């Protein structure tokens, strides 16, 4: 069990290409009272050799290996359960921190008594190594100290903050309803980040950068049935916002409008990628779409457009027909 003030958790699956750069960025932190818990999620490349190399040279690098879980959720939870640190910081295997990131986040925590401290998230890729997009949006005054609920509303319908690399009190993770529950859905961080915010009293921002490597890949390059896991996550978000703000609150209605939009997107994607899934997988995906379409309260969605309200919310079959017509009109087909 770790005893450092800050534990950096890094889930790793076949990350040999960029893992060394990630671990070096942790090693070079100006704040030294950290440990780094690396969870090898059944890698089949040279990731474990890189991990062992760092652990042999610096005892603050700790590691464990688990059977491949199929998502980042399980190794992250495994790492969190291994730590007794006051603060937790999750870093992706392809990403890296600035040398002062942890120090500046801790300084902001001391200044503000915040439960969560966010960095500025800088998206970069091979074509744009200096970055092409950043979060929070420039309009956000990052010197402000705000409530968890206020920042929670900055995550819907789209993200106005970057949650990666945030410094989070370990005690907030203890309140998580998904921690160490064996949940291996894709994009579970979409829910976890918001649940952490729902339990946070104070949130602040630090003036440092988390470098997020954005891989440019086509939708079919790594497409699988797990893409449809996000429909389950969206339903969990619906429940979270209902409990936090009330079932008929403007905040929850906004989430439901977003949720219906995602159901439409997933149905369109299913049309587009039908050749990429087996017959059983297609039936499973369609079942998920239908269940979530039927479950969602659509009574106050698309109030500004009677036609859209009829096409998308009155009948499941009309919803499917209209979505398919739009799919054909835009000529979106799966490329093998």
């Amino acid at each position: 069990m770790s005893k450092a003030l800050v534990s950096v958790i890094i889930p790793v699956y076949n990350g040999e290409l960029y893992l060394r750069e990630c671990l070096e960025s942790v090693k070079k932190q100006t704040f030294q009272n950290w440990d780094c818990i690396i969870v090898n999620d059944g890698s089949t490349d040279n990731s474990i050799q890189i991990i062992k190399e760092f652990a042999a040279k610096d005892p603050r690098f700790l590691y464990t290996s688990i059977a491949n879980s199929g998502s980042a959720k399980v190794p992250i939870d495994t790492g969190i359960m291994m730590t007794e640190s006051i603060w937790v910081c999750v870093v992706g295997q392809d990403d890296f921190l600035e040398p002062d990131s942890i120090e500046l986040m801790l300084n902001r925590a001391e200044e503000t008594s915040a439960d969560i401290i966010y960095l500025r998230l800088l998206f970069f890729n091979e074509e744009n190594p200096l970055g092409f997009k950043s979060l929070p949006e420039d309009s956000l005054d990052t010197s402000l100290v705000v409530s968890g609920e206020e920042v929670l509303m900055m995550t819907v319908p789209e993200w106005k903050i970057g949650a990666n690399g945030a410094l989070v009190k370990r005690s907030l993770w203890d309140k998580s309803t998904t921690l160490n529950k064996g949940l291996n859905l894709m994009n579970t961080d979409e829910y976890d980040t918001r649940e952490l915010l729902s339990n946070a009293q104070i949130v602040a921002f630090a003036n440092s950068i988390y470098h997020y490597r954005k891989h440019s890949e086509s939708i079919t390059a790594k497409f699988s049935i797990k893409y449809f896991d996000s429909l389950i996550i969206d339903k969990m978000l619906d429940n979270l916002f209902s409990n936090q703000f009330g079932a008929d609150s403007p905040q929850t209605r906004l989430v439901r409008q977003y949720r219906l939009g995602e159901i439409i997107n997933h149905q369109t994607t299913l049309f587009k990628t039908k050749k990429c899934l087996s017959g059983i997988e297609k039936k499973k995906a369609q079942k998920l779409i239908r269940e979530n379409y039927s479950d969602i309260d659509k009574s106050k969605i698309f109030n500004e457009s009677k036609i859209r309200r009829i096409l998308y919310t009155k009948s499941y079959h009309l919803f499917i027909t209209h979505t398919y017509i739009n799919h054909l009109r835009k000529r979106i087909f799966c490329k093998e």
Side-chain angles (χ1 to χ4, degrees):
M1 306 292 282
S2 68
K3 300 292 185 180
L5 181 63
V6 177
S7 282
V8 179
I9 311 295
I10 303 179
V12 175
Y13 174 70
N14 290 352
E16 63 178 356
L17 193 58
Y18 304 113
L19 180 57
R20 190 178 300 277
E21 181 179 22
C22 174
L23 298 180
E24 284 289 354
S25 78
V26 176
K27 187 174 183 177
K28 293 177 180 177
Q29 289 300 302
T30 54
F31 177 80
Q32 292 292 301
N33 187 15
W34 54 263
D35 62 17
C36 182
I37 300 175
I38 310 163
V39 182
N40 174 38
D41 191 23
S43 297
T44 57
D45 64 358
N46 291 320
S47 293
I48 191 63
Q49 283 75 27
I50 297 171
I51 294 167
K52 288 179 177 179
E53 174 189 327
F54 275 80
K57 294 178 180 179
D58 190 330
R60 293 175 299 177
F61 286 99
L62 311 170
Y63 71 92
T64 189
S65 292
I66 60 175
N68 181 249
S69 65
S71 78
K73 171 65 174 171
V74 174
I76 289 173
D77 285 1
T78 300
I80 292 172
M81 295 300 294
M82 289 174 62
T83 180
E84 293 178 346
S85 300
I86 295 175
W87 295 97
V88 171
C89 174
V90 179
V91 176
Q93 64 180 22
D94 297 339
D95 309 332
F96 63 93
L97 300 166
E98 290 286 306
D100 61 359
S101 291
I102 293 178
E103 180 178 4
L104 292 181
M105 285 192 289
L106 285 171
N107 288 345
R108 285 292 283 161
E110 185 175 354
E111 294 166 2
T112 64
S113 299
D115 302 304
I116 302 175
I117 302 92
Y118 287 111
L119 299 169
R120 180 168 295 279
L121 182 66
L122 181 67
F123 295 85
F124 74 101
N125 55 24
E126 291 183 4
E127 293 77 25
N128 302 278
L130 298 180
F132 59 89
K133 177 184 176 182
S134 67
L135 292 173
E137 296 182 338
D138 292 337
S139 59
L140 179 66
D141 182 359
T142 54
S143 67
L144 295 176
V145 178
V146 292
S147 70
E149 282 192 352
E150 287 179 274
V151 182
L152 179 59
M153 292 313 301
M154 296 178 191
T155 70
V156 289
E158 58 185 24
W159 291 84
K160 296 180 181 178
I161 62 163
N164 304 65
L167 198 65
V168 180
K169 278 188 177 176
R170 175 67 174 82
S171 57
L172 283 186
W173 278 108
D174 289 334
K175 299 177 182 178
S176 168
T177 59
T178 68
L179 181 65
N180 205 33
K181 297 296 192 296
L183 198 65
N184 69 340
L185 302 173
M186 286 187 66
N187 300 324
T188 316
D189 58 323
E190 297 263 342
Y191 178 83
D192 285 341
T193 296
R194 287 155 168 143
E195 187 179 39
L196 291 169
L197 284 168
S198 74
N199 289 317
Q201 296 297 313
I202 301 173
V203 177
F205 299 85
N207 188 26
S208 189
I209 295 174
Y210 180 98
H211 296 264
Y212 179 82
R213 193 182 309 272
K214 188 74 171 175
H215 297 284
S216 54
E217 297 173 333
S218 69
I219 192 170
T220 58
K222 291 187 176 181
F223 184 79
S224 76
I225 186 62
K226 291 189 72 65
Y227 167 79
F228 296 91
D229 286 352
S230 59
L231 293 173
I232 302 172
I233 301 300
D234 289 345
K235 182 176 180 178
M236 293 168 62
L237 286 176
D238 191 328
N239 293 333
L240 176 67
F241 275 71
S242 294
N243 293 333
Q244 187 78 11
F245 299 104
D248 295 322
S249 66
Q251 295 92 335
T252 303
R253 289 201 300 270
L254 182 63
V255 170
R256 287 177 182 158
Q257 186 167 356
Y258 163 79
R259 185 180 169 196
L260 181 60
E262 286 300 292
I263 292 171
I264 294 168
N265 290 339
H266 279 69
Q267 182 62 64
T268 301
T269 300
L270 182 57
F271 289 139
K272 179 181 177 182
T273 58
K274 60 184 179 180
K275 294 181 180 180
C276 305
L277 299 174
S278 69
I280 293 175
E281 288 174 333
K282 281 185 281 188
K283 288 181 180 179
K284 181 180 178 181
Q286 196 66 68
K287 184 173 182 286
L288 271 172
I289 291 171
R290 182 164 193 161
E291 287 176 349
N292 279 273
Y293 174 87
S294 301
D295 168 79
I296 192 172
D297 181 359
K298 300 177 284 293
S299 61
K300 296 180 181 179
I301 295 177
F302 297 132
N303 283 340
E304 77 288 352
S305 172
K306 183 177 181 180
I307 293 177
R308 293 190 73 189
R309 186 166 68 250
I310 292 172
L311 290 174
Y312 284 125
T313 69
K314 291 299 182 182
S315 160
Y316 173 73
H317 294 293
L318 186 58
F319 157 76
I320 292 293
T321 301
H322 181 65
T323 307
Y324 185 64
I325 290 171
N326 271 347
H327 159 68
L328 291 179
R329 182 175 58 83
K330 296 175 181 178
R331 297 187 178 277
I332 303 177
F333 297 102
C334 176
K335 296 181 180 179
E336 299 195 63

